[in-house]
Amino acid sequence: MQNEYSEYAKVFKAFCDETRLMVLSLLQSGEKCACVLLEKVNVGQPTLSHHMKILVDSGVVYARKQGKWTHYSLNKEILVDLDDYIEKLICCENHEKL
Amino acid sequence: MQNEYSEYAKVFKAFCDETRLMVLSLLQSGEKCACVLLEKVNVGQPTLSHHMKILVDSGVVYARKQGKWTHYSLNKEILVDLDDYIEKLICCENHEKL
DNA sequence: TGATCATATTGAATGAAATCGATATGAGGT
DNA sequence: ACCTCATATCGATTTCATTCAATATGATCA
């Protein structure tokens, strides 16, 4: 099974972990650098870095390097796609292939 | 960290697996019994049953028993909640706590 | 009540994810 | 060149998920 579902499954994986959900929520108010995120989240620095990698690889978050810092922000386009995906599920029995 | 994020993380976990995404897509056109789902999905019967349990426990899918059969359908209310959750992330820097 | 069918559960194996301490990288400042 | 700071990677450990074969449950039917 190597289809479009595995693509979406990968994106949804970004949302499967509470630390990552918290990061996404923090990014909702705008771009943040890793050190700011680290203050708010209850994990160590290597663990946060691991989660940020998952978020970036899934496409949900952008990384922008500037000097020593890495600034993260939401990729709102992919969030709109996810929103559409879920809306199609909600939309009343229209028999359209997802 | 035992907060609202872990609640949503559990719901999003339903979407993390391609087999489960395929099931959700199949349910989009209406209620289906497990035997119908089993025909379409590339896993064995116990594995499908395991996935259906995850979907039901997360609240994304309803199970209705009728005689020998179990009929599954989407819980559209929780899908609307997810939709709202993602929309709040998209919505432009409004500083509202998620 | 015994057979059959649909589904659930159990137990075991294998694989993936989360976490952390230690260390590496690489930019800036002295 | 050296030191420091921010972040990334590595290696190991532990925990969690996926899968299947085997078996259990429980409804229907002969």
Side-chain angles (χ1 to χ4, degrees):
Chain A
M1 212 189 296
Q2 185 62 29
N3 45 33
E4 63 181 309
Y5 297 114
S6 62
E7 275 304 301
Y8 274 99
K10 187 180 176 187
V11 178
F12 279 117
K13 238 164 231 162
F15 292 78
C16 281
D17 180 276
E18 54 190 298
T19 300
R20 292 197 290 270
L21 282 183
M22 196 172 185
V23 166
L24 292 174
S25 173
L26 289 165
L27 295 180
Q28 193 246 356
S29 57
E31 194 182 63
K32 302 268 180 307
C33 85
C35 54
V36 169
L37 297 173
L38 189 56
E39 285 169 9
K40 311 272 188 177
V41 159
N42 288 322
V43 294
Q45 183 272 320
T47 302
L48 177 62
S49 188
H50 164 76
H51 285 303
M52 296 318 293
K53 187 165 162 43
I54 289 169
L55 287 168
V56 170
D57 287 352
S58 73
V60 177
V61 162
Y62 290 124
R64 179 176 70 84
K65 287 212 163 195
Q66 186 186 45
K68 293 190 279 188
W69 294 276
T70 309
H71 299 270
Y72 295 100
S73 59
L74 294 178
N75 174 1
K76 302 209 173 184
E77 281 183 38
I78 211 168
L79 292 175
V80 170
D81 282 350
L82 284 189
D83 211 50
D84 289 348
Y85 191 92
I86 292 175
E87 263 171 23
K88 274 193 203 140
L89 287 176
I90 297 166
C91 190
C92 319
E93 337 267 299
N94 63 17
H95 295 264
E96 190 187 331
K97 188 172 183 316
L98 199 57
Chain B
M1 213 188 294
Q2 184 62 31
N3 46 34
E4 63 181 309
Y5 298 113
S6 62
E7 276 304 300
Y8 275 99
K10 188 180 175 188
V11 179
F12 279 116
K13 237 163 231 163
F15 293 77
C16 281
D17 180 275
E18 53 191 297
T19 300
R20 293 197 289 271
L21 282 184
M22 196 172 184
V23 166
L24 292 175
S25 173
L26 290 165
L27 295 180
Q28 193 246 356
S29 58
E31 194 183 62
K32 302 268 181 306
C33 85
C35 55
V36 168
L37 298 173
L38 189 56
E39 285 170 8
K40 309 272 188 176
V41 159
N42 288 322
V43 293
Q45 183 273 320
T47 302
L48 176 62
S49 188
H50 165 76
H51 284 304
M52 296 319 293
K53 187 165 164 40
I54 289 170
L55 288 168
V56 170
D57 287 352
S58 74
V60 177
V61 162
Y62 289 124
R64 181 176 67 85
K65 287 210 163 195
Q66 186 186 45
K68 295 190 279 188
W69 295 276
T70 308
H71 299 270
Y72 295 101
S73 59
L74 295 178
N75 174 0
K76 302 208 172 182
E77 281 182 36
I78 212 168
L79 292 175
V80 170
D81 282 350
L82 283 189
D83 211 49
D84 289 348
Y85 191 92
I86 292 175
E87 263 170 23
K88 274 194 203 141
L89 287 176
I90 297 166
C91 191
C92 317
E93 337 266 299
N94 63 16
H95 294 265
E96 191 187 329
K97 188 171 184 317
L98 199 59

